[in-house]
Amino acid sequence: MDITEIIKRAFIFPSKNLEILSIYAILSVLAGAFAVQGVITFIFGIFDIVNLVIGATYIAIAIIIGIITRRISLQCVKSGIELQDKIPDFKWWGNWGLGLKKIVIMIFYFIVPALIVVFIGLITNVHGNIISIYQALTLQISPIIVGDSAITDVITQASFPLFVSLAITLAAGLLIFLVFTFFQVIAEARLAHTGSLMKALNFISAAKDLKMIGIGKVIVLSILILVIVGCMEAVLTVIFDHLFVLSILNIVITPYIALFGQSALGFLYSDIV
């Protein structure tokens, strides 16, 4: 399926699944509300066992709702892989493991690149350079003895190695997170297709899938989706600035965009199934 066809089918996909879109929108709002209320109650009730229990309960409810919304998003991907324009009937209590597996994938594909970036930071000596600045300020300089210009010179000299190490670490970090984002996208498609967490976490197989689909095609599709969503957000921002009451439509628009992206992933992955 070419990119134009993927975009077209994915964009109208949520409109053909209005019931699922409505459920997803309501659950997303509820999950956010329970999560925020849970965190606030937990923090302000840190010395009150009753509020701690209430806050933890709110957070637990938000997690349960989040698992359900993850299942819905995976159903969108699966429908796209199977080249279907409609999601099968939604079951509230079925296949909880699938939602949990997606959460595991999201955590895994964040932690691994984060650890790699921390390791790069150690190699480039970010921590050591920060310590050097601290030592230059506290051990080597006495503001009573030296002037402001001397302090500035020492800070400048100590800051340059830190700037270099941070620049290298951040550049490498952005690249690594971008690569792992592509792996996560393919992993979610593999999970939707097979239902297997181990297959979803298989880097080698995910890399082969990326190669079969075409890295260029994945990048172009990702850019087009970002452009479309960005244009939509820009137009809606202008409208909402003039008619603030219409901003309530974000309750539906944001889930619509989410399901649009998930179905696009499914249609993309259908090329190699």
Side-chain angles (χ1 to χ4, degrees), residues 26-126:
I26 293 171
L27 291 178
S28 297
V29 172
L30 289 175
F34 275 111
V36 171
Q37 185 61 42
V39 171
I40 293 174
T41 305
F42 197 88
I43 292 175
F44 284 96
I46 194 166
F47 298 111
D48 184 350
I49 187 64
V50 175
N51 283 331
L52 286 177
V53 172
I54 294 174
T57 302
Y58 283 149
I59 293 173
I61 293 173
I63 292 173
I64 292 172
I65 297 174
I67 292 173
I68 298 175
T69 58
R70 298 303 183 276
R71 279 175 45 218
I72 293 175
S73 64
L74 283 175
Q75 284 181 310
C76 289
V77 178
K78 185 175 178 62
S79 296
I81 293 173
E82 297 174 351
L83 300 178
Q84 297 177 357
D85 291 322
K86 288 187 69 67
I87 298 174
D89 293 338
F90 177 71
K91 297 179 180 179
W92 284 96
W93 305 109
N95 204 2
W96 285 86
L98 197 61
L100 285 170
K101 289 175 183 177
K102 179 169 181 177
I103 293 176
V104 171
I105 288 174
M106 294 170 63
I107 295 173
F108 177 81
Y109 281 94
F110 173 80
I111 289 179
V112 172
L115 291 176
I116 294 175
V117 172
V118 169
F119 181 70
I120 293 174
L122 291 175
I123 294 176
T124 57
N125 198 32
V126 172

Side-chain angles (χ1 to χ4, degrees), residues 129 158-168:
N129 291 327
S159 297
F160 182 74
L162 176 61
F163 173 79
V164 173
S165 60
L166 280 176
I168 295 173

Side-chain angles (χ1 to χ4, degrees), residues 176-242:
I176 290 169
F177 271 99
L178 179 62
V179 171
F180 272 82
T181 297
F182 286 124
F183 276 115
Q184 180 182 337
V185 166
I186 297 300
E188 291 181 6
R190 289 173 64 82
L191 176 62
H193 180 54
T194 66
S196 170
L197 180 61
M198 296 308 297
K199 290 182 179 180
L201 297 178
N202 189 320
F203 282 106
I204 297 177
S205 297
K208 290 180 180 178
D209 286 351
L210 270 173
K211 184 177 180 181
M212 291 173 64
I213 294 172
I215 297 177
K217 186 175 183 179
V218 175
I219 293 175
V220 171
L221 179 62
S222 300
I223 293 174
L224 284 176
I225 290 176
L226 289 175
V227 170
I228 291 172
V229 172
C231 291
M232 289 177 60
E233 293 288 352
V235 172
L236 291 171
T237 298
V238 173
I239 295 174
F240 295 157
D241 282 343
H242 290 83

